């Protein structure tokens, strides 16, 4: 009996390792595919698209709509007043702030609101300044303690990977190609990796710094951010932006860290849950993908790993994160419903593709460059409807 149980355990462990190995192989193959053969087909397809005016990737007012409406309507001014009233009291009502923030946060109050909703700042107004000072000092204490070790033998692989990935982060936005910005990102990511040995640094985490960094730069400037030269800011201001971005990214990752531990089990579970959900939501789309042997892991891995940041312009990610921070378990749970709504949103285009390569090109390069607030709001409303239908009864979407 002992030998039989022992064999069972060995068999189970071997299967788990085999699953992990297969998963890593699939991930590597499709990473390569997306970078090589598919790129040429995408270029050909993009050249045939009709020309449309370009909206800044990070709109100056991140609440910009594709329709080009005036910067501040009466409704927007009224919403801004409501935010300011909630934020003005000695103790911010976080529940009220979440309700307001779900539909989007005005640019002027987004930095303070994100810091409150992420749990970085306390609701009590009197304690905020001392909290900021303490956390900023603590972060730069980590820099002094750990950053010089980046070239040590046991850390140099981590640092090298970060150093390679940083220039690839938002390559179309000049802000992120500035040397001083890239150095900030390198420090943030290296310190996070050293302090989280269970996962260490994983590609994709580099994307998650950018929304925080942009929003916290907006706290100090009025002009458009895309081409802004950060070296014109005072050194203390840049340090504040760096420390605040580090802590808020850390808070986000605390809730989804199993996405980034060995073999990324969190992502594997979420991709499986997405497949089950879509099979119930839209069986035609699900069967179409099965027919052409498209595995959800081949496109949705990136949706989970990068929180849709590679699928949407940065202005849309910032708006999406307003809601994620207002929603309970927004990044860890609500994101699944957003991904399902996002996939079904392209139903017509998916069903028009009649082979594996066509489907993969579409799913890895969905045409969202011209999206603004309106499209994100529709996506979020549909995701909320799905959550309401399925969240409390997961058996509804399990076969």
């Amino acid at each position: 009996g002992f030998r039989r149980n022992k064999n069972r355990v060995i068999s189970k462990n071997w299967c788990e390792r085999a699953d992990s190995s297969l998963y890593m192989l699939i991930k590597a193959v499709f990473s390569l595919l997306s970078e090589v053969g598919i790129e040429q087909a995408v270029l050909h397809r993009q050249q045939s698209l009709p020309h449309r005016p370009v909206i800044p990737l990070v709109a100056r007012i991140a609440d910009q709509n594709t329709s080009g409406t005036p910067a501040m309507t009466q409704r927007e001014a009224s919403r801004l007043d409501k935010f300011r009233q909630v934020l003005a009291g000695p103790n911010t009502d976080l529940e009220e702030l979440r309700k307001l923030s779900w539909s989007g946060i005005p640019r002027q109050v987004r930095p303070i609101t994100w810091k409150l909703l992420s749990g970085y700042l306390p609701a009590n107004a009197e304690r905020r300044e001392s909290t900021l000072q303490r956390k900023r000092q603590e972060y730069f204490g980590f820099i002094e303690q750990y950053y010089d070790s980046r070239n040590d033998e046991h850390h140099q692989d981590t640092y090298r990977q970060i150093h390679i990935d940083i220039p690839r982060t938002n390559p179309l936005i000049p802000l992120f190609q500035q040397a001083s910005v890239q150095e900030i990102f390198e420090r943030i990511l290296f310190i996070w990796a050293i302090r989280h040995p269970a996962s260490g640094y994983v590609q994709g985490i580099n994307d998650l710094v950018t929304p925080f960094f942009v929003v916290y730069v907006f706290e100090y400037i009025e002009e458009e951010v895309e081409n802004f030269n950060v070296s014109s800011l005072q050194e203390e201001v840049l340090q504040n932006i760096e420390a605040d971005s580090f802590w808020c990214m850390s808070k986000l990752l605390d809730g989804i860290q199993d996405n980034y531990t060995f073999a990324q089990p969190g992502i594997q579970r979420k991709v499986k849950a997405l497949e089950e959900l879509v099979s119930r939501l839209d069986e035609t789309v699900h069967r179409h993908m099965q027919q052409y042997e498209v595995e959800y892991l081949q496109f949705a891995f990136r949706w989970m790993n990068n929180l849709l940041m590679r699928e949407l312009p940065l202005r849309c990610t910032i708006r999406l994160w307003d809601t994620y921070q207002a929603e309970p378990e927004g990044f860890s749970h609500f994101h699944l419903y957003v991904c399902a709504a996002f996939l079904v949103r392209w139903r017509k285009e998916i069903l028009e593709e009649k082979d594996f390569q066509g489907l993969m090109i579409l799913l890895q390069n969905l045409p969202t460059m011209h999206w603004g607030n309106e499209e994100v709001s529709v996506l979020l409303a549909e995701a909320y409807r799905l959550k309401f239908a399925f969240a409390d009864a997961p058996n509804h979407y399990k076969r």
Side-chain angles (χ1 to χ4, degrees), residues 314-351:
L314 187 50
R315 62 178 178 273
C316 294
T317 294
I318 289 170
R319 168 63 194 90
L320 192 66
W321 285 22
D322 287 346
T323 299
Y324 280 8
Q325 296 193 83
E327 179 74 21
E329 299 183 290
F331 294 98
S332 60
H333 187 65
F334 187 60
H335 181 66
L336 168 67
Y337 298 99
V338 172
C339 287
F342 187 62
L343 182 62
V344 175
R345 155 73 178 74
W346 306 102
R347 181 181 205 275
K348 177 176 170 286
E349 292 83 350
I350 287 168
L351 296 179

Side-chain angles (χ1 to χ4, degrees), residues 123-326:
N124 181 283
E126 282 183 10
R127 288 174 44 219
R128 281 179 205 157
E129 195 52 46
S130 61
T131 300
L132 281 175
Q133 283 180 9
R134 179 171 51 81
K135 296 303 279 183
R136 287 165 179 171
Q137 283 171 3
E138 190 179 348
Y139 170 71
F140 283 99
F142 295 151
I143 297 287
E144 283 182 36
Q145 186 178 350
Y146 299 121
Y147 198 57
D148 284 345
S149 72
R150 65 191 180 280
N151 294 313
D152 290 0
E153 191 177 346
H154 57 298
H155 289 155
Q156 64 185 16
D157 286 348
T158 295
Y159 179 70
R160 190 184 299 120
Q161 189 60 59
I162 290 169
H163 191 70
I164 290 168
D165 288 347
I166 294 297
R168 299 173 180 170
T169 307
N170 295 298
L172 299 177
I173 303 175
L175 173 74
F176 298 110
Q177 300 313 307
Q178 294 173 40
S180 53
V181 173
Q182 294 188 357
E183 286 164 14
I184 286 170
F185 278 40
E186 283 182 4
R187 284 194 294 271
I188 288 173
L189 293 166
F190 183 76
I191 297 304
W192 189 87
I194 294 302
R195 296 189 72 246
H196 295 83
S199 61
Y201 173 73
V202 176
Q203 285 176 296
I205 294 177
N206 52 309
D207 283 339
L208 307 185
V209 187
T210 54
F212 293 114
F213 184 79
V214 166
V215 167
Y216 298 150
V217 168
F218 269 138
E219 193 168 3
Y220 299 96
I221 69 169
E222 288 296 321
E223 60 263 50
E224 177 221 320
V225 77
E226 275 185 44
N227 298 293
F228 180 73
N229 181 4
V230 296
S231 61
S232 63
L233 292 171
Q234 293 177 354
E235 188 178 353
E236 185 189 355
V237 165
L238 262 182
Q239 288 179 343
N240 291 347
I241 292 167
E242 178 175 344
D244 295 349
S245 299
F246 169 81
W247 286 116
C248 291
M249 185 196 79
S250 297
K251 290 278 189 187
L252 186 168
L253 286 166
D254 284 349
I256 57 170
Q257 202 180 340
D258 68 344
N259 281 8
Y260 303 107
T261 51
F262 176 71
Q264 301 182 258
I267 289 179
Q268 294 197 63
R269 278 198 305 275
K270 284 166 187 166
V271 170
K272 188 68 188 160
L274 176 67
E275 182 174 357
E276 288 168 349
L277 181 53
V278 172
S279 73
R280 306 303 283 171
L281 272 180
D282 196 325
E283 196 175 0
T284 307
V285 165
H286 180 68
R287 287 190 181 280
H288 187 75
M289 302 228 274
Q290 282 184 323
Q291 182 184 347
Y292 296 107
E293 299 182 339
V294 172
E295 299 282 344
Y296 282 71
L297 194 62
Q298 292 162 355
F299 64 90
F301 172 85
R302 190 171 75 182
W303 295 11
M304 302 300 175
N305 192 58
N306 303 69
L307 296 175
L308 286 177
M309 284 192 65
R310 295 290 172 98
E311 324 313 316
L312 299 170
L314 187 50
R315 62 178 178 273
C316 294
T317 294
I318 289 170
R319 168 63 194 90
L320 192 66
W321 285 22
D322 287 346
T323 299
Y324 280 8
Q325 296 193 83

Side-chain angles (χ1 to χ4, degrees), residues 59-64 70-85 87 97 101 104-116 214-223 318 322 373:
R60 180 180 168 275
I61 304 264
D63 299 3
Q64 179 176 344
M72 181 77 83
T73 63
Q74 194 172 348
R75 181 177 168 275
E76 286 164 348
S78 168
R79 289 196 80 238
L80 180 57
D81 282 345
K82 284 179 184 169
F83 271 91
R84 284 185 167 146
Q85 284 168 24
L87 293 165
L97 190 62
S101 299
I105 303 168
R107 188 193 83 114
Q108 298 89 329
V109 292
R110 187 176 270 128
I112 180 72
T113 304
W114 275 27
K115 287 172 191 172
L116 285 162
V214 166
V215 167
Y216 298 150
V217 168
F218 269 138
E219 193 168 3
Y220 299 96
I221 69 169
E222 288 296 321
E223 60 263 50
I318 289 170
D322 287 346
N373 260 17

Side-chain angles (χ1 to χ4, degrees), residues 356-368:
F356 173 83
Q357 192 191 25
L359 279 164
M360 287 304 298
I361 292 169
L362 172 69
L363 290 165
Q364 293 191 341
N365 300 274
L366 290 161
T368 60

Side-chain angles (χ1 to χ4, degrees), residues 2-17:
F2 171 74
R3 187 177 292 126
R4 215 172 22 248
N5 285 339
K6 186 180 173 188
N7 288 343
R8 202 172 289 146
V9 168
I10 290 168
S11 172
K12 181 174 181 288
N13 290 344
W14 185 88
C15 288
E16 284 173 356
R17 282 201 300 274

